[in-house]
Each structure stands twice: as structure tokens, then as C-alpha cells.
Amino acid sequence: MVITRFAPSPTGRLHVGNVRTALHNWLLARKAGGRFLLRIDDTDAARSEERFVDAIHEDLAWLGLDYDGEERQSARLAVYEDAFARLRADGRVYPAYETAQELDLKRKVLLGRGLPPIYDRAALQLTEAERAAKEAEGVAPHWRFRLDHDEPIAWEDGIRGAQHFDAAQLSDPVVRRADGSWLYMLPSAVDDIAMGVTDVLRGEDHVSNTAVQLQMFTALHAAPPRFAHEALLVGREGKLSKRLGALGCDALREAGIEPEALLALLARLGTSQPVEPVAERSALVAGFDLASFGRAPAKFDDAELARLNTAIIHQLPYARVAEQLPEGMGAEAWEAIRPNLETLADAADWWRIVTGPVEAPDMDAETRHFLTLAADALEDVNWGDDPWRALTGALKESTGRKGKALFLPLRQALTGRDHGPDMHLLLPLIGRQRAQDRLRAAA
Ligand code: GLU
């Protein structure tokens, strides 16, 4: 049974990078018929906020990424305490007393000599008496995980292929602060074990964390999950700092982006599969394949998202959008208006053109006479099937007008605009009475 998890820290809104990670883990689980879990990484009490937990729920619901279980790290502190006690008993965590300034100085000295800034393990050399002295001074220790320099670190990454690390080239990571609070690394490994996570799929920025966490799994006597690290998402010009790519789901939603569009883009961006307006999630699930993921950074482009959004909107069925449409706008109106929309919010503008009032441009005397004839002709039009065809057919015959001279003044008088939805579909929505009123008003 494949089990994946999405583990956001509730320190802000979900942005496209988080959504991509959530989506890929969801797709991986759904494709395998497995389970997708939500884990709220809120051990950092100072930076975590309840409103962002709510926002994560809201955003995942908006995206339609359903999960099969939810855990909160802040509710699992006893479990971490227990794992910590075991690691301590086994000598795999050790207290360290350096201040941030001291550590900073050590790093600078090493870098100054052209050496990698690896922690020198000075704390491991402290004698019992030296430690007691620190404690007596009231210096509380922070805790480091002791990497095993003799244990080779290697894994077959689902995206990056064979990976190797030399533990001696890594610093023993701090896992617990002096105030007793947890850093990300150990609780995450403990949870992945407890929750039976089989596949960890996350950004490339976590590769070196994986090297360290692999030793944590071993130290906790557990088999590690499979790991895959995807190339980061970047903006078109490099950083993902400007425009939609940097915004939260709430801002994307306000900008008129539909979740289907965001998912269709993020599912395939950075893979060898073409980005297409795929509105059906089942199609994204079926096509998901880690083997198609590339190593180059994936480029996020606002314009591509907007194009995809429009193409997706043109496919959405009425039932999907009904609740977001203006009061009274039914399925026929949706079908008529849909091809003209860039965003769903534009539907209200077109619906106002159906319900009125509309303002037609000024027309010359001859055209006004033509519109009077049109209003009269509407009287005899059989409304049942295609009144627009019947109306324009009758007018063509009686006035000799054709092409633009026939259609444009009618469209202008009926909608107040030169362009818009197909009049065959629009006129039945406007209705005979309103159409006649508009034609007479313009005449
Ligand atoms: N809370 C971590 C993050 O947001 C989770 C990383 C992981 O997937 O293990 O970076």
C-alpha cells in the first residue's frame, strides 16, 4: 500500500510550489490506489498560526485534493520525546552548548581557510565535568543528531537516480533547541515511520535533509521510505518572486484562476509530458509518472497559466460552475457565454447583456429604419427553433441587406457591443419582448 504525505508548515498561505508538492503526492497515491495524508508541521510555535492551518484546509478543498488522514505535529510531542529518549540512550543525540555567535565564528574560520563549514563536534569532546559546569552556569544545551561516519549514505532517488553522500562531509544536525522545541528533521522522520509513509516526494532543496534522515531511520530501527526529489519551480526570469507564481491560493483564486487550470499546469510542468488543458483529474492521475520528471528547474509562467485557465473554462460543464454564476443564469446561458470567457467572473458581464439594460451606439437614419423593420419582423418569428436565423433570414429577404450590414446593427442594438457570444444562442436568452424593446430603443 503506497502512502504519501503533504507536510506544510502553517506559516503562510499555500503558494504554487506547495501546491505542486501536494498535487504530486496526491497523484502518486491516487494512481497507486494508496493513501494520501496531510501532516501539519507546526512544531515551530512562534511561526505557526491557526489561521494558516485553516487556510491549508480551505486551499486543499478548493483544489479538490482530498486526504485520507490528518495529523498535527504539535499533538505528537510525546512521540518525539520517546524517540529522542531512545536515540539518547543509544548515543545518537548529544548535547551541545555553543552559542549562535560561537557557531557562526567557527563557520567563518573554516570558510576563511577554504574549508567546508562542517560542525567540528567539539561538544562530543566535552568531559562530564565540563558539561556539568555549563549546566551549573545555567546554559541549557541544544541537541545534535550524531551521524555515523562509517555508514554509507545512498539511495535510489525516484527522480534523480542513484545518490551518495559521505556522512563525514555533513554537520551533525541540530534536532532540538535549547528551549526543548523541535527542528523539522527528527519529528518528520519519526512521523514518516509512525504513519507508514512509503514514498516521500519533495523538492530538491531537501536532498541533503534526506541524507541525514536516512541515518535517522536506521538509528530508529526502521526501513526508510522511497525518496524522490523534484527540480524546483522557478519563474520565467529566474526567481519565482514576482507575479502569480509567488502568490497564495487565495490570490490566485481572486485573479480568476480555476483550480483545474492550476492542477493541469503543475501536474505536467517540468515533466516530458505536454502541458494541456486537462480538466479531468482522473486523466492527470492516469498520466502521472515520476519517470517523466526532468532534472532542470521547472519554469512557471503566468501567461501559460492564464491561457490554460481560459481553455479549461471553455470546457467546464454547467454543474461545475452553477454556484459561481450570477443569479438566474442557467445551463443554456452558460453554454452560450462560455466560449467568450477568460475568467468565470466575466460571465456576469455577459449575463448583464442578456438581462439588460444595454446601450446601443448611435446609428444613421437608414439603419434605424432597418431596426424598426427588425422589431416588427420579430413579431412573426417562430420562437421555437432558432429565432435568430428566422429573423435574419426574413430581414435579408425584405431589405436586401446581407453580411455585416445585416448582422452588425442587430448585434449592436441587441447587445450594445460589436462582438460577443453567438447570436443564435444569445437571442433566445434575451427573449422576444426584450429584443423588440432594444431594437425599438436603438431605432
Ligand atoms: N514541513 C516541511 C516543509 O515544508 C516538510 C518537508 C517534507 O516534505 O519532509 O519543508
Side-chain angles (χ1 to χ4, degrees), residues 5 7-9 39 41 184 188 200 202 206:
R5 83 310 194 264
S9 305
R39 189 183 84 201
D41 280 6
Y184 147 77
S188 181
V200 172
R202 55 189 182 184
H206 282 289

Side-chain angles (χ1 to χ4, degrees), residues 239-300:
K239 272 196 300 190
L240 195 58
S241 56
K242 285 187 218 120
R243 318 217 262 186
L244 292 183
L247 301 179
C249 278
D250 51 339
L252 290 167
R253 197 177 335 177
E254 266 158 43
I257 300 299
E258 298 305 322
E260 289 91 340
L262 191 57
L263 298 185
L265 178 63
L266 295 176
R268 302 255 180 99
L269 203 61
T271 76
S272 57
Q273 300 187 56
V275 171
E276 289 164 339
V278 178
E280 285 300 321
R281 287 184 312 159
S282 54
L284 297 179
V285 171
F288 184 76
D289 182 7
L290 278 187
S292 71
F293 280 64
R295 292 286 300 271
K299 289 217 162 81
F300 179 89

Side-chain angles (χ1 to χ4, degrees), residues 137-169:
E137 283 170 39
V139 185
H142 54 274
W143 297 82
R144 288 183 185 264
F145 176 75
R146 186 174 59 74
L147 290 167
D148 181 347
H149 288 183
D150 298 326
E151 183 192 322
I153 301 176
W155 75 95
E156 187 61 31
D157 193 283
I159 295 171
R160 298 163 62 85
Q163 303 289 301
H164 300 275
F165 276 81
D166 177 0
Q169 296 304 310

Side-chain angles (χ1 to χ4, degrees), residues 154-188:
W155 75 95
E156 187 61 31
D157 193 283
I159 295 171
R160 298 163 62 85
Q163 303 289 301
H164 300 275
F165 276 81
D166 177 0
Q169 296 304 310
L170 301 170
S171 292
D172 288 341
V174 176
V175 292
R176 196 169 194 183
R177 300 185 189 90
D179 66 3
S181 64
W182 300 99
L183 281 108
Y184 147 77
M185 211 94 76
L186 180 62
S188 181

Side-chain angles (χ1 to χ4, degrees), residues 290-346:
L290 278 187
S292 71
F293 280 64
R295 292 286 300 271
K299 289 217 162 81
F300 179 89
D301 178 2
D302 284 359
E304 188 174 25
L305 178 58
R307 269 196 307 277
L308 211 54
N309 196 48
T310 297
I312 293 259
I313 287 172
H314 295 174
Q315 301 174 33
L316 293 180
Y318 176 69
R320 155 68 177 81
V321 296
E323 280 180 16
Q324 288 153 271
L325 296 179
E327 182 75 28
M329 189 174 161
E332 276 115 41
W334 171 246
E335 302 285 334
I337 285 169
R338 185 171 72 165
N340 289 77
L341 301 179
E342 267 181 42
T343 68
L344 217 47
D346 298 342

